């Protein structure tokens, strides 16, 4: 992927990871990754998790991660969506990543993914947010990655 991005030097991209656990993620929690790996033309705030996208360009927004320490593994699932940073409105209400415990008595999840293709009308901020949950879980360090690719 890196060589493809380098060849298409006019395309914007961003890759971010998490270096420490984000504890107690639940409905209404913003997902914040804190380690920019590589970027070209996409602004990202490591303190808030807000990505700034340029109006009129189409992007592939992706997030994949593993959660652990579920408070209730039998019923706890986390839904994560890309949302507008101001209104918290999902960019596409039908697209969400559901993160579920591996088994009803396990304390970690299998990796989940959420992907949205989006073209903002104007330049603005966007973020990842847990929009539904049956409890809390921790976003595990080194098992979370956010990617933004201009397509």
């Amino acid at each position: 992927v890196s060589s493809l991005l380098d060849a298409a030097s006019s395309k914007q991209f961003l890759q971010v990871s998490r270096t420490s656990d984000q504890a107690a993620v639940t409905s209404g929690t913003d997902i914040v990754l804190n380690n920019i790996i590589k970027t070209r033309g996409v602004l990202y705030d490591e303190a808030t998790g807000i990505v700034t996208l340029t109006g009129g360009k189409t992007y592939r927004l992706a997030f994949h991660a593993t959660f652990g320490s579920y408070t209730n593994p039998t019923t706890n699932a986390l839904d994560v969506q890309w949302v507008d940073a101001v209104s918290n409105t999902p960019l596409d209400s039908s697209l969400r990543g559901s993160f579920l415990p591996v088994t009803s008595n396990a304390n970690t999840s299998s990796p989940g993914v959420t992907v949205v293709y989006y073209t903002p009308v104007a330049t603005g901020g966007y973020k990842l947010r847990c929009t539904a949950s049956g409890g809390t879980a921790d976003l595990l360090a080194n098992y979370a990655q956010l990617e933004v690719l201009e397509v």
Side-chain angles (χ1 to χ4, degrees):
V1 171
S2 182
S3 61
L4 291 173
L5 293 173
D6 291 337
S9 63
S10 65
K11 298 289 187 184
Q12 296 180 342
F13 65 88
L14 170 72
Q15 185 178 27
V16 186
S17 67
R18 179 88 193 168
T19 60
S20 59
D21 290 357
Q22 181 176 347
V25 174
T26 192
S27 185
T29 302
D30 293 337
I31 304 294
V32 180
L33 304 185
N34 62 356
N35 180 44
I36 296 173
I37 298 168
K38 194 167 185 179
T39 187
R40 180 185 308 131
V42 179
L43 299 176
Y44 182 79
D45 187 325
E46 294 167 292
T48 63
I50 295 176
V51 177
T52 302
L53 301 179
T54 303
K57 294 181 181 271
T58 300
Y59 297 90
R60 179 186 187 270
L61 308 173
F63 171 68
H64 52 93
T66 300
F67 288 84
S69 300
Y70 283 85
T71 54
N72 189 353
T74 57
T75 60
N76 194 19
L78 300 174
D79 285 350
V80 175
Q81 292 180 284
W82 285 95
V83 301
D84 179 276
V86 175
S87 67
N88 292 319
T89 303
L91 302 185
D92 185 328
S93 61
S94 67
L95 297 175
R96 69 193 73 234
S98 289
F99 298 83
L100 308 166
V102 175
T103 65
S104 62
N105 60 5
N107 225 2
T108 59
S109 66
S110 58
V113 176
T114 183
V115 176
V116 173
Y117 286 85
Y118 187 68
T119 306
V121 174
T123 299
Y126 304 91
K127 63 185 177 181
L128 288 160
R129 187 171 181 87
C130 179
T131 55
S133 174
T136 67
D138 298 344
L139 177 62
L140 301 180
N142 304 314
Y143 291 100
Q145 188 168 306
L146 170 157
E147 297 171 352
V148 175
L149 299 172
E150 179 188 352
V151 293

